Amino acid sequence: KTTTMKILLGILFPTSGYCEILGQKVATTAFLAPETISPKIKKDVGYLPEAPYFQRFLTGRELLSYFGKLSGRPSSGLEKRISDLLAKVGLEDAGDRRIGGYSKGMLQRIGMAQALIGDPDLVILDEPTAGVDPIGAADIAALILELKSEGKTILLCSHLLSQVEAICDRVAIMGRGRLLREGTIDSLTTDVAAGSIRIDGVAQSDRSAIEQLAREKGGAVSPPSRSLEELFLELARESEKEARDGD
């Protein structure tokens, strides 16, 4: 998956075939004259690698300024863009700290910010929540959904299938370098032969009638439940709120 992303970005070249990004053919065979991505196309693409490495002596704000200038953003609005992005990724209080003192989760967040500094149309994220705690992972997932609502196209690589199922419209499953299946979440996960179904949006007053009908038909009804991750996030955020209110 990572190799595919690097080929799309022109970092690696395939031994055969080609790909297109934003309508431009790129990454033809390396043994011929490889096509390169035009600067205009590059300005419309943001990229967060799986294991980002940044200059440790820079502060988060300095890093974003560096990448902002590389992306061609005008200096006049760059500082505001940096402040907005630091707030968006939850690093407004750490923007003036050196990156060498950032945790793994903070590095992923500043990596997200650098991928967005040029306001790209296409954002490529390779394992954006790798090594991040559940709260940080939930925040990054929420940010991805926010970018989607803004009209951005997100190409996400992740081995966390629950996260993929929660935020992606279309999914491609790869194995041993080959595309095994591709489609919408519903088209890939619907199983008409399954022995269980899920019913959402039922009023509390109607639940008993539905449960009774299921039992009459020989079905087993499980009590309402939530995932361990949902419980953890609820408790952690309640704890954070209590700590802020106490201050």
Side-chain angles (χ1 to χ4, degrees):
K1 301 181 293 295
T2 296
T3 299
T4 300
M5 289 184 167
K6 288 182 177 180
I7 290 174
L8 274 173
L9 294 164
I11 299 173
L12 296 177
F13 297 99
T15 53
S16 63
Y18 71 93
C19 63
E20 293 184 359
I21 185 168
L22 297 177
Q24 179 186 340
K25 182 188 292 187
V26 297
T28 55
T29 174
F31 299 108
L32 300 175
E35 297 183 41
T36 57
I37 305 176
S38 71
K40 182 179 184 304
I41 293 293
K42 286 185 176 181
K43 288 178 65 175
D44 290 330
V45 179
Y47 173 53
L48 173 63
E50 179 178 4
Y53 181 83
F54 303 117
Q55 296 90 334
R56 296 170 58 86
F57 57 87
L58 295 177
T59 66
R61 193 176 295 276
E62 289 170 343
L63 180 81
L64 294 182
S65 176
Y66 171 69
F67 279 101
K69 292 172 182 177
L70 283 180
S71 72
R73 287 194 66 90
S75 300
S76 57
L78 184 56
E79 285 303 318
K80 183 180 186 306
R81 176 67 175 168
I82 290 171
S83 295
D84 291 344
L85 282 175
L86 287 172
K88 186 186 287 284
V89 300
L91 290 177
E92 59 268 49
D93 295 331
D96 294 318
R97 289 171 51 187
R98 294 190 185 279
I99 290 174
Y102 278 16
S103 67
K104 172 64 175 176
M106 294 171 73
L107 285 173
Q108 291 296 105
R109 289 170 185 261
I110 199 67
M112 285 286 293
Q114 70 80 25
L116 300 173
I117 189 68
D119 195 21
D121 295 325
L122 172 63
V123 184
I124 299 178
L125 306 175
D126 192 359
E127 301 284 0
T129 57
V132 180
D133 63 85
I135 294 178
D139 289 342
I140 290 174
L143 176 57
I144 293 173
L145 290 174
E146 181 182 340
L147 295 172
K148 171 186 169 182
S149 69
E150 295 173 359
K152 308 289 186 186
T153 297
I154 315 296
L155 178 57
L156 168 69
C157 171
S158 177
H159 66 277
L160 301 176
L161 300 186
S162 60
Q163 180 187 78
V164 171
E165 191 170 357
I167 65 178
C168 294
D169 296 317
R170 299 186 66 84
V171 173
I173 300 174
M174 298 183 69
R176 297 183 179 273
R178 295 183 177 275
L179 181 64
L180 304 180
R181 192 74 62 83
E182 186 268 339
T184 65
I185 291 291
D186 287 343
S187 70
L188 294 175
T189 59
T190 299
D191 183 359
V192 296
S196 63
I197 62 172
R198 173 176 170 173
I199 301 175
D200 296 317
V202 177
Q204 184 72 29
S205 57
D206 297 326
R207 181 181 297 173
S208 296
I210 294 175
E211 292 177 351
Q212 180 61 33
L213 177 61
R215 292 189 179 97
E216 290 175 359
K217 298 298 182 180
V221 178
S222 302
S225 63
R226 55 185 168 181
S227 68
L228 186 61
E229 182 178 357
E230 290 172 331
L231 174 62
F232 176 86
L233 292 174
E234 179 182 326
L235 294 176
R237 283 169 175 159
E238 286 179 357
S239 177
E240 287 182 353
K241 183 177 184 301
E242 291 174 357
R244 288 195 302 269
D245 293 343
D247 293 339

